[in-house]
């Protein structure tokens, strides 16, 4: 099985300081939906991992998060792509869970659920914590992000999901 793991905020959609807490705040980044459709055509299964501390903090209800994800899945489908699963950490830092980045729990969950080992699987990450989580789970993290989606001082390997997917399917990633 060919699989790729995508972080959500800053990779597929715009990220906001307080998180995406309403469906109409879920706004795809340029080219991200087309990139997911391309992965689909290339035979990759796509899964999303996302930390949503707003749930634990009371800023985001699970029901609203589900509606946000329905909006995302529909937007992807409208471009001919598919997301197989969305793995969510609903905790905040004070919960000291095992699934919030930089802990590897979400990646381990998806590895178990999909019965796939991660050493050959790329993960498009938007933050250093996410790359640390993916690396700790044995996946191959790649920092992806454009203006405003990556913290100042970080050097993303690719400007956006489109460039990352292009390099991945053409064998342009070697690390
Ligand atoms: Zn968690």
């Amino acid at each position: 099985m060919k699989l790729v793991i995508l972080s959500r905020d800053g990779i597929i959609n715009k990220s906001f300081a307080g998180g995406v807490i309403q469906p109409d705040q879920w706004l795809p980044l340029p080219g991200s939906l087309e990139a997911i459709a391309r992965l689909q055509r290339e035979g990759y299964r796509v899964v999303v991992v996302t930390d949503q501390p707003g749930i634990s903090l009371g800023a985001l209800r699970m029901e609203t998060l589900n509606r946000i994800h329905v909006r995302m899945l529909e937007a992807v489908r409208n471009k001919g792509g598919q997301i197989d699963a969305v793995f969510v950490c609903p905790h905040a830092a004070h919960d000291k869970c095992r699934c919030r980045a930089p802990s590897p729990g979400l990646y381990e969950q998806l590895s178990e659920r999909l019965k796939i080992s991660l050493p050959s699987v790329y993960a498009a990450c938007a933050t250093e914590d996410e790359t640390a989580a993916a690396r700790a789970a044995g996946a191959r993290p790649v920092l992806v992000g454009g203006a405003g989606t990556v913290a100042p001082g970080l050097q993303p390997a690719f400007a956006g999901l489109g460039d990352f997917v292009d390099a991945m399917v053409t064998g342009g990633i070697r690390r």
Side-chain angles (χ1 to χ4, degrees), residues 10-11 123-127 131 142-146 149-150 156-162 164:
I11 297 290
C125 302
T127 69
T131 60
V142 180
L143 192 62
V144 175
T149 66
V150 167
F158 297 98
L161 190 55
F164 164 72

PDB file of all heavy atoms in Angstrom, residues 10-11 123-127 131 142-146 149-150 156-162 164:
ATOM      1  N   GLY A  10      -2.086  24.483   7.712  1.00  0.00           N
ATOM      2  CA  GLY A  10      -0.823  24.931   7.139  1.00  0.00           C
ATOM      3  C   GLY A  10      -0.323  24.050   6.015  1.00  0.00           C
ATOM      4  O   GLY A  10       0.650  24.390   5.339  1.00  0.00           O
ATOM      5  N   ILE A  11      -0.981  22.921   5.806  1.00  0.00           N
ATOM      6  CA  ILE A  11      -0.627  22.028   4.702  1.00  0.00           C
ATOM      7  C   ILE A  11      -1.782  21.963   3.708  1.00  0.00           C
ATOM      8  O   ILE A  11      -1.608  22.196   2.514  1.00  0.00           O
ATOM      9  CB  ILE A  11      -0.309  20.598   5.213  1.00  0.00           C
ATOM     10  CG1 ILE A  11       0.919  20.614   6.133  1.00  0.00           C
ATOM     11  CG2 ILE A  11      -0.114  19.640   4.036  1.00  0.00           C
ATOM     12  CD1 ILE A  11       2.233  20.892   5.442  1.00  0.00           C
ATOM     13  N   ALA A 123       5.562  12.111   5.450  1.00  0.00           N
ATOM     14  CA  ALA A 123       4.580  12.903   6.181  1.00  0.00           C
ATOM     15  C   ALA A 123       4.859  14.376   5.907  1.00  0.00           C
ATOM     16  O   ALA A 123       5.956  14.861   6.180  1.00  0.00           O
ATOM     17  CB  ALA A 123       4.671  12.616   7.684  1.00  0.00           C
ATOM     18  N   ALA A 124       3.878  15.064   5.333  1.00  0.00           N
ATOM     19  CA  ALA A 124       4.007  16.502   5.092  1.00  0.00           C
ATOM     20  C   ALA A 124       3.591  17.238   6.355  1.00  0.00           C
ATOM     21  O   ALA A 124       2.441  17.186   6.766  1.00  0.00           O
ATOM     22  CB  ALA A 124       3.130  16.925   3.913  1.00  0.00           C
ATOM     23  N   CYS A 125       4.570  17.906   6.974  1.00  0.00           N
ATOM     24  CA  CYS A 125       4.357  18.531   8.277  1.00  0.00           C
ATOM     25  C   CYS A 125       4.517  20.047   8.165  1.00  0.00           C
ATOM     26  O   CYS A 125       5.320  20.525   7.361  1.00  0.00           O
ATOM     27  CB  CYS A 125       5.377  18.008   9.290  1.00  0.00           C
ATOM     28  SG  CYS A 125       5.329  16.219   9.516  1.00  0.00           S
ATOM     29  N   ALA A 126       3.777  20.774   9.000  1.00  0.00           N
ATOM     30  CA  ALA A 126       3.830  22.232   8.948  1.00  0.00           C
ATOM     31  C   ALA A 126       4.620  22.838  10.093  1.00  0.00           C
ATOM     32  O   ALA A 126       4.913  24.032  10.069  1.00  0.00           O
ATOM     33  CB  ALA A 126       2.415  22.809   8.932  1.00  0.00           C
ATOM     34  N   THR A 127       4.941  22.029  11.104  1.00  0.00           N
ATOM     35  CA  THR A 127       5.669  22.571  12.254  1.00  0.00           C
ATOM     36  C   THR A 127       6.793  21.613  12.646  1.00  0.00           C
ATOM     37  O   THR A 127       6.782  20.429  12.298  1.00  0.00           O
ATOM     38  CB  THR A 127       4.754  22.753  13.489  1.00  0.00           C
ATOM     39  OG1 THR A 127       4.375  21.448  13.970  1.00  0.00           O
ATOM     40  CG2 THR A 127       3.508  23.556  13.157  1.00  0.00           C
ATOM     41  N   THR A 131       7.095  17.428  12.673  1.00  0.00           N
ATOM     42  CA  THR A 131       8.177  16.618  12.101  1.00  0.00           C
ATOM     43  C   THR A 131       8.784  15.723  13.187  1.00  0.00           C
ATOM     44  O   THR A 131       9.113  14.566  12.918  1.00  0.00           O
ATOM     45  CB  THR A 131       9.294  17.478  11.453  1.00  0.00           C
ATOM     46  OG1 THR A 131       9.861  18.341  12.427  1.00  0.00           O
ATOM     47  CG2 THR A 131       8.766  18.284  10.283  1.00  0.00           C
ATOM     48  N   VAL A 142       8.641  15.643   6.192  1.00  0.00           N
ATOM     49  CA  VAL A 142       9.147  16.697   5.325  1.00  0.00           C
ATOM     50  C   VAL A 142       8.424  17.982   5.715  1.00  0.00           C
ATOM     51  O   VAL A 142       7.199  18.008   5.793  1.00  0.00           O
ATOM     52  CB  VAL A 142       8.880  16.388   3.838  1.00  0.00           C
ATOM     53  CG1 VAL A 142       9.429  17.503   2.957  1.00  0.00           C
ATOM     54  CG2 VAL A 142       9.497  15.051   3.449  1.00  0.00           C
ATOM     55  N   LEU A 143       9.213  19.027   5.990  1.00  0.00           N
ATOM     56  CA  LEU A 143       8.610  20.301   6.370  1.00  0.00           C
ATOM     57  C   LEU A 143       8.133  21.022   5.110  1.00  0.00           C
ATOM     58  O   LEU A 143       8.913  21.288   4.203  1.00  0.00           O
ATOM     59  CB  LEU A 143       9.626  21.144   7.136  1.00  0.00           C
ATOM     60  CG  LEU A 143       9.081  22.378   7.863  1.00  0.00           C
ATOM     61  CD1 LEU A 143       8.079  21.970   8.944  1.00  0.00           C
ATOM     62  CD2 LEU A 143      10.225  23.175   8.468  1.00  0.00           C
ATOM     63  N   VAL A 144       6.840  21.286   5.078  1.00  0.00           N
ATOM     64  CA  VAL A 144       6.213  21.908   3.908  1.00  0.00           C
ATOM     65  C   VAL A 144       5.486  23.151   4.370  1.00  0.00           C
ATOM     66  O   VAL A 144       4.800  23.133   5.389  1.00  0.00           O
ATOM     67  CB  VAL A 144       5.206  20.931   3.248  1.00  0.00           C
ATOM     68  CG1 VAL A 144       4.452  21.610   2.110  1.00  0.00           C
ATOM     69  CG2 VAL A 144       5.918  19.675   2.754  1.00  0.00           C
ATOM     70  N   GLY A 145       5.626  24.226   3.624  1.00  0.00           N
ATOM     71  CA  GLY A 145       4.861  25.399   4.007  1.00  0.00           C
ATOM     72  C   GLY A 145       5.235  26.603   3.194  1.00  0.00           C
ATOM     73  O   GLY A 145       6.361  26.732   2.713  1.00  0.00           O
ATOM     74  N   GLY A 146       4.286  27.479   3.032  1.00  0.00           N
ATOM     75  CA  GLY A 146       4.532  28.716   2.317  1.00  0.00           C
ATOM     76  C   GLY A 146       4.508  29.887   3.265  1.00  0.00           C
ATOM     77  O   GLY A 146       4.541  29.718   4.484  1.00  0.00           O
ATOM     78  N   THR A 149       2.577  30.147   6.791  1.00  0.00           N
ATOM     79  CA  THR A 149       2.137  28.866   7.333  1.00  0.00           C
ATOM     80  C   THR A 149       3.227  28.193   8.155  1.00  0.00           C
ATOM     81  O   THR A 149       2.966  27.229   8.839  1.00  0.00           O
ATOM     82  CB  THR A 149       1.694  27.891   6.224  1.00  0.00           C
ATOM     83  OG1 THR A 149       2.819  27.554   5.428  1.00  0.00           O
ATOM     84  CG2 THR A 149       0.611  28.503   5.367  1.00  0.00           C
ATOM     85  N   VAL A 150       4.444  28.692   8.072  1.00  0.00           N
ATOM     86  CA  VAL A 150       5.548  28.098   8.826  1.00  0.00           C
ATOM     87  C   VAL A 150       6.119  29.167   9.748  1.00  0.00           C
ATOM     88  O   VAL A 150       6.208  30.334   9.379  1.00  0.00           O
ATOM     89  CB  VAL A 150       6.637  27.574   7.861  1.00  0.00           C
ATOM     90  CG1 VAL A 150       7.910  27.247   8.600  1.00  0.00           C
ATOM     91  CG2 VAL A 150       6.127  26.353   7.108  1.00  0.00           C
ATOM     92  N   PRO A 156      11.300  25.492   5.208  1.00  0.00           N
ATOM     93  CA  PRO A 156      10.569  24.354   4.645  1.00  0.00           C
ATOM     94  C   PRO A 156      11.273  23.811   3.407  1.00  0.00           C
ATOM     95  O   PRO A 156      11.901  24.556   2.663  1.00  0.00           O
ATOM     96  CB  PRO A 156       9.210  24.947   4.295  1.00  0.00           C
ATOM     97  CG  PRO A 156       9.434  26.408   4.174  1.00  0.00           C
ATOM     98  CD  PRO A 156      10.562  26.754   5.085  1.00  0.00           C
ATOM     99  N   ALA A 157      11.172  22.497   3.224  1.00  0.00           N
ATOM    100  CA  ALA A 157      11.788  21.862   2.062  1.00  0.00           C
ATOM    101  C   ALA A 157      11.001  22.185   0.799  1.00  0.00           C
ATOM    102  O   ALA A 157      11.562  22.198  -0.293  1.00  0.00           O
ATOM    103  CB  ALA A 157      11.865  20.354   2.282  1.00  0.00           C
ATOM    104  N   PHE A 158       9.705  22.442   0.965  1.00  0.00           N
ATOM    105  CA  PHE A 158       8.854  22.755  -0.178  1.00  0.00           C
ATOM    106  C   PHE A 158       7.915  23.890   0.195  1.00  0.00           C
ATOM    107  O   PHE A 158       7.472  23.988   1.336  1.00  0.00           O
ATOM    108  CB  PHE A 158       8.047  21.527  -0.605  1.00  0.00           C
ATOM    109  CG  PHE A 158       8.920  20.395  -1.064  1.00  0.00           C
ATOM    110  CD1 PHE A 158       9.236  19.365  -0.197  1.00  0.00           C
ATOM    111  CD2 PHE A 158       9.446  20.384  -2.343  1.00  0.00           C
ATOM    112  CE1 PHE A 158      10.062  18.332  -0.600  1.00  0.00           C
ATOM    113  CE2 PHE A 158      10.272  19.356  -2.756  1.00  0.00           C
ATOM    114  CZ  PHE A 158      10.581  18.328  -1.888  1.00  0.00           C
ATOM    115  N   ALA A 159       7.592  24.717  -0.803  1.00  0.00           N
ATOM    116  CA  ALA A 159       6.778  25.902  -0.531  1.00  0.00           C
ATOM    117  C   ALA A 159       5.319  25.550  -0.276  1.00  0.00           C
ATOM    118  O   ALA A 159       4.599  26.289   0.381  1.00  0.00           O
ATOM    119  CB  ALA A 159       6.884  26.880  -1.685  1.00  0.00           C
ATOM    120  N   GLY A 160       4.874  24.419  -0.806  1.00  0.00           N
ATOM    121  CA  GLY A 160       3.472  24.053  -0.610  1.00  0.00           C
ATOM    122  C   GLY A 160       3.258  22.595  -0.938  1.00  0.00           C
ATOM    123  O   GLY A 160       4.162  21.909  -1.429  1.00  0.00           O
ATOM    124  N   LEU A 161       2.045  22.131  -0.678  1.00  0.00           N
ATOM    125  CA  LEU A 161       1.734  20.718  -0.890  1.00  0.00           C
ATOM    126  C   LEU A 161       1.905  20.323  -2.356  1.00  0.00           C
ATOM    127  O   LEU A 161       2.360  19.210  -2.651  1.00  0.00           O
ATOM    128  CB  LEU A 161       0.299  20.429  -0.414  1.00  0.00           C
ATOM    129  CG  LEU A 161      -0.120  18.972  -0.349  1.00  0.00           C
ATOM    130  CD1 LEU A 161       0.829  18.151   0.502  1.00  0.00           C
ATOM    131  CD2 LEU A 161      -1.553  18.854   0.178  1.00  0.00           C
ATOM    132  N   GLY A 162       1.587  21.246  -3.267  1.00  0.00           N
ATOM    133  CA  GLY A 162       1.741  20.939  -4.693  1.00  0.00           C
ATOM    134  C   GLY A 162       3.179  20.594  -5.044  1.00  0.00           C
ATOM    135  O   GLY A 162       3.449  19.611  -5.746  1.00  0.00           O
ATOM    136  N   PHE A 164       5.557  19.610  -2.974  1.00  0.00           N
ATOM    137  CA  PHE A 164       5.940  18.383  -2.267  1.00  0.00           C
ATOM    138  C   PHE A 164       5.451  17.148  -3.033  1.00  0.00           C
ATOM    139  O   PHE A 164       6.200  16.198  -3.263  1.00  0.00           O
ATOM    140  CB  PHE A 164       5.361  18.402  -0.852  1.00  0.00           C
ATOM    141  CG  PHE A 164       5.351  17.067  -0.159  1.00  0.00           C
ATOM    142  CD1 PHE A 164       6.531  16.493   0.291  1.00  0.00           C
ATOM    143  CD2 PHE A 164       4.167  16.377   0.027  1.00  0.00           C
ATOM    144  CE1 PHE A 164       6.524  15.254   0.921  1.00  0.00           C
ATOM    145  CE2 PHE A 164       4.142  15.142   0.659  1.00  0.00           C
ATOM    146  CZ  PHE A 164       5.325  14.576   1.102  1.00  0.00           C
TER     147      PHE A 164
END
